Amino acid sequence: MWRDALVVAGKDLRIERRSWVGLNQVLPYALTVLLLFGFAFDQDRSLLAQAAPGLYWLAVVFAGLPAVQRSFAVEAADGAADGLRMSGLEPAGIFLGKAAAVALQLLVAQAVLAGGVAVLFHSRLAGPGLLVASALVSTAGVAGAGVAYGALLVGLRARETLLPLLLAPVLAPVVLAATQAWRSALGLSAGPGGGWRWFGLLACFTVVYLAGGVLSFGALMEET
Amino acid sequence: MVLCVRLRQVVAFAGRYPLLAGVDLDVAEGEVVVLRGANGAGKTSLLRAVAGLLPISSGEASVLGLDPVRDARALRRRVGLLGHRNGLYEDLSALDNVRFAARAAGAPKAAAGPALERLGLTGRLADLAVGRLSAGQRRRVALAMLAARQPELWLLDEPHAGLDASHRHLLDQLLREAAAGGATVVLASHEAAVSTALAGRTLAVAGGTVVGGLLADELGPPTDHQVGPPAGQVGAVSREGVGPAPLAQAGFHVA
């Protein structure tokens, strides 16, 4: 399974490295969202700083949608999805590989977004460990849920519009827990202890999403 | 004779639409079989059912000793399928595509270079993004993916489409070599010349079932309306594909 995941992740990242389609869409889109949030709350600097973690994670989720759509668009073209099914690769490995590739692209986008948050929203760092850990775990959650839903919708004509509709409620707990963990990490709520409790909840949801994807991806691939 | 493919009264649907209507088929190991039939006759569905991509609703099926439904994943690792579409990643180079196919199937990554060379895709062509290649060149990349994988069973749907005369000849050579090496080849083609050049056996497909084994020159040129199986063996065959008549012949009742 792990070898198959590496093969698939390597393929998806190579496609991205050669085309830059994903990041060329994801990065400008995420930065635009962040800027729009900044303009919307520009009159009240303290409110902007308070809302920064939530706005950041909303921007990350919005950026995740085109990344997931791109991940399955390359499989839909020229019958590559059938090729993937005929390859003999473990579905769990395919799921983990695709999720890893999406997660890596999201992490690149997040690094840029985090800089934007620091500059635009005047955020200060109080707990770097919690911030990095929650960023990594929530990215895995967003990518895992996104890839599972992407596979579910791949055969549908309205997949581009259905993906955000179905994925947003599923990712609500991740956005909530990541926001609270980051509030703690940015010194916006009392003490880091509360932040780590939110991190625990975040980790639970991420494990559920990844386990669900690993177990169901084979059936999802066959159905589409 | 060891059978590579054995189908008995195999029936398959797409929703409620019948695709295969009681197919009986035996293909021996190392054999080259050409399936001929009109558009919508069921050739593609038959290849997909053998590959384990089309769920079989009823009947018995054994491919390489495995059940295509229950053991689909194990079977697919040993089968190479080239469909109407090439299954290529447009942003990747030809070399990257073939390397991925080889690695996914557990073949050495180094198999990619010789496979591309065998199909005449060397130098700059191997490094170009597949999206920039011509239709014929893309077809050859897809064939190189199969050549690198070296499957035990080759399933090819109109593999000559888009190839020029010299590369058609090259493909025929490749398939003969695969068969000589012990692989089994089943390919669907409209073209009588293909049957004559390649096949040990040519089978006529119509109405979602195999209607007879014929020599290539006995079939005559196929049309969109009808293939030339013996009269009385086939139910209604139309442009729209398989109707309920063949299913009824197979003992199934369509509501």
Side-chain angles (χ1 to χ4, degrees):
Chain A
M1 179 178 79
W2 299 111
R3 187 201 77 93
D4 291 355
L6 274 178
V7 171
V8 173
K11 181 263 295 175
D12 278 9
L13 290 172
R14 196 179 295 269
I15 288 173
E16 185 51 33
R17 189 169 60 85
R18 287 189 70 118
S19 66
W20 293 104
V21 170
L23 277 180
N24 279 346
Q25 290 175 355
V26 168
L27 269 180
Y29 178 62
L31 281 172
T32 305
V33 169
L34 211 60
L35 271 174
L36 288 175
F37 284 147
F39 290 142
F41 292 101
D42 193 36
Q43 302 302 315
D44 192 339
R45 286 280 170 184
S46 64
L47 179 62
L48 191 58
Q50 285 285 325
L55 299 179
Y56 174 86
W57 281 107
L58 278 178
V60 170
V61 168
F62 289 156
L65 294 172
V68 168
Q69 281 169 342
R70 167 71 179 157
S71 176
F72 285 94
V74 297
E75 304 297 345
D78 202 23
D82 268 355
L84 206 56
R85 287 166 74 192
M86 286 303 297
S87 68
L89 291 166
E90 287 281 331
I94 297 173
F95 167 75
L96 289 174
K98 292 196 89 61
V102 168
L104 208 63
Q105 291 174 57
L106 275 181
L107 284 174
V108 172
Q110 282 186 54
V112 178
L113 278 178
V117 165
V119 172
L120 291 171
F121 301 175
H122 307 291
S123 297
R124 290 179 302 106
L125 192 55
L130 177 60
L131 187 114
V132 171
S134 53
L136 290 175
V137 171
S138 45
T139 303
V142 171
V147 168
Y149 273 76
L152 182 70
L153 301 174
V154 77
L156 302 179
R157 281 184 186 170
R159 58 183 175 270
E160 285 86 1
T161 45
L162 274 175
L163 184 65
L165 198 68
L166 294 178
L167 197 54
V170 175
L171 290 180
V174 171
V175 173
L176 175 68
T179 299
Q180 294 303 328
W182 267 46
R183 281 181 60 78
S184 182
L186 295 175
L188 299 170
S189 61
W196 282 109
R197 276 197 292 278
W198 282 108
F199 174 79
L201 182 66
L202 184 60
C204 286
F205 273 102
T206 297
V207 167
V208 167
Y209 293 159
L210 290 177
V214 164
L215 294 174
S216 65
F217 202 73
L220 293 176
M221 278 179 72
E222 294 304 315
E223 287 301 315
T224 51
Chain B
M1 179 178 72
V2 181
L3 287 180
C4 174
V5 178
R6 182 180 181 278
L7 305 182
R8 291 290 178 271
Q9 288 301 300
V10 163
V11 174
F13 292 87
R16 294 183 62 188
Y17 191 78
L19 298 174
L20 298 178
V23 175
D24 290 323
L25 176 65
D26 286 339
V27 180
E29 273 184 15
E31 196 177 8
V32 179
V33 172
V34 173
L35 303 175
R36 287 192 60 202
N39 293 337
K43 303 185 299 295
T44 300
S45 299
L46 181 51
L47 291 179
R48 289 176 67 83
V50 171
L53 285 178
L54 177 66
I56 292 169
S57 304
S58 67
E60 289 173 32
S62 169
V63 180
L64 294 166
L66 297 168
D67 184 322
V69 179
R70 211 176 45 237
D71 311 315
R73 207 172 305 147
L75 174 65
R76 289 172 191 168
R77 206 178 268 272
R78 298 166 61 188
V79 174
L81 172 70
L82 175 65
H84 286 293
R85 296 194 289 173
N86 294 311
L88 302 173
Y89 296 101
E90 301 212 337
D91 294 312
L92 290 183
S93 68
L95 184 60
D96 286 339
N97 268 287
V98 180
R99 273 186 183 155
F100 172 68
R103 286 194 69 194
K109 204 167 142 182
L116 281 167
E117 206 169 309
R118 182 78 180 85
L119 271 299
L121 294 157
T122 51
R124 192 168 156 268
L125 278 181
D127 293 322
L128 267 183
V130 157
R132 296 177 63 187
L133 298 179
S134 72
Q137 287 167 337
R138 291 161 65 101
R139 200 66 173 163
R140 279 152 58 198
V141 176
L143 288 163
M145 285 163 73
L146 291 188
R149 285 184 58 185
Q150 290 292 326
E152 293 168 60
L153 173 60
W154 297 52
L155 300 171
L156 309 159
D157 201 352
E158 304 289 351
H160 297 81
L163 297 181
D164 58 33
S166 66
H167 290 111
R168 282 165 170 249
H169 181 63
L170 184 64
L171 170 60
D172 290 351
Q173 271 185 339
L174 184 73
L175 296 180
R176 278 195 206 97
E177 283 169 18
T184 308
V185 179
V186 181
L187 67 103
S189 179
H190 283 100
E191 302 170 38
V194 169
S195 313
T196 312
L198 262 181
R201 205 151 51 100
T202 298
L203 298 175
V205 178
T209 191
V210 175
V211 293
L214 298 165
L215 294 173
D217 52 1
E218 291 174 331
L219 281 166
T223 69
D224 269 3
H225 297 281
Q226 191 179 358
V227 191
Q233 285 195 358
V234 189
V237 184
S238 67
R239 273 184 194 278
E240 288 73 34
V242 184
L247 266 191
Q249 288 174 350
F252 285 82
H253 301 284
V254 180

